Amino acid sequence: MDILRIYQDCGALLEGHFLLSSGNHSNFYLQSAKVLEEPKLAAQLAQALAQEIMGAGMRVDGVCSPALGGILAGYELARALNTRFIFTERVNGAMTLRRGFEVSPQEKILICEDIITTGGSALEAAHCVQALGAQVIAFASLANRGFCARTNAPAPTNTGHACKLPPDIPFFSLADFNFAMYKPAHCPLCATSAPVKPGSRGNEK
């Protein structure tokens, strides 16, 4: 699948001057909600991601996503993997498992996001289920900003930003988007415009 073309065709690849939650700036932003608003396309993307995961011989007992951005991607991936789906959400700034969701000791959970940049939100969701005894066996996302190394894929080419995902846990994604990010003090975009906050929370993943 040509993931770049899909994002472009859906108007999900935004170009401008964006302020990310990390405090960094970028001239591109991926708005996966524009891709996932089409159920048939969301199912196709999730099926392609599920095939990579199943091809690695992984047993998945459940999929967990951090709200809000990861919910649609995680739900469709759980459907493709024929397993259950739960999500974490922030309460007073802390990622929490609520709404009666439970995990069992040693249950094999895959953490799914729509987009992974450094993996901070995904790692918080992982810590939630691990604290309850579950085993996080993999991370997954539709798109990867190129800072984290994907399983069975070339090493990431973006440098200067740390990946927060554990290196010993597999990470599956459909494509890398290698966009530049700048520290505010060194952002060339600031010479001509002020950054804007995109996304549902005005942030990146």
Side-chain angles (χ1 to χ4, degrees):
M1 301 179 72
D2 189 340
I3 306 302
L4 175 60
R5 176 55 62 85
I6 289 172
Y7 270 76
Q8 290 173 328
D9 290 348
C10 291
L13 177 55
L14 310 181
E15 186 171 3
H17 183 189
F18 302 109
L19 173 63
L20 308 177
S21 65
S22 60
N24 295 312
H25 296 191
S26 179
N27 57 334
F28 288 100
Y29 186 82
L30 297 173
Q31 182 54 278
S32 287
K34 292 294 294 178
V35 175
L36 296 170
E37 70 179 353
E38 296 292 343
K40 183 179 293 187
L41 179 56
Q44 290 172 347
L45 292 169
Q47 187 61 49
L49 188 55
Q51 287 175 356
E52 288 195 18
I53 295 164
M54 292 185 291
M58 308 206 73
R59 172 191 144 198
V60 180
D61 296 326
V63 174
C64 177
S65 293
L68 180 64
I71 289 181
L72 291 178
Y75 185 86
E76 287 297 334
L77 181 60
R79 187 204 301 268
L81 291 170
N82 193 29
T83 191
R84 75 185 186 109
F85 173 73
I86 58 177
F87 62 86
T88 61
E89 54 194 306
R90 293 188 188 279
V91 179
N92 297 323
M95 199 70 82
T96 307
L97 192 66
R98 304 174 64 201
R99 303 177 188 273
F101 290 140
E102 296 179 348
V103 293
S104 303
Q106 299 305 310
E107 185 176 7
K108 297 182 183 298
I109 299 293
L110 181 147
I111 306 296
C112 180
E113 271 277 31
D114 54 348
I115 301 165
I116 290 286
T117 299
T118 62
S121 295
L123 187 59
E124 288 182 76
H127 288 163
C128 283
V129 297
Q130 287 171 328
L132 298 173
Q135 179 185 0
V136 173
I137 49 93
F139 293 90
S141 67
L142 300 180
N144 175 34
R145 282 291 300 260
F147 305 115
C148 298
R150 292 190 289 143
T151 299
N152 297 327
T157 58
N158 282 344
T159 59
H161 302 278
C163 176
K164 297 178 181 178
L165 299 184
D168 58 335
I169 298 179
F171 167 44
F172 300 91
S173 187
L174 295 176
D176 294 326
F177 289 81
N178 296 309
F179 303 142
M181 289 197 334
Y182 307 101
K183 298 293 184 183
H186 304 287
C187 175
L189 306 171
C190 287
T192 57
S193 65
V196 297
K197 292 183 178 181
S200 59
R201 286 195 299 134
N203 70 354
E204 63 170 338
K205 295 296 185 297

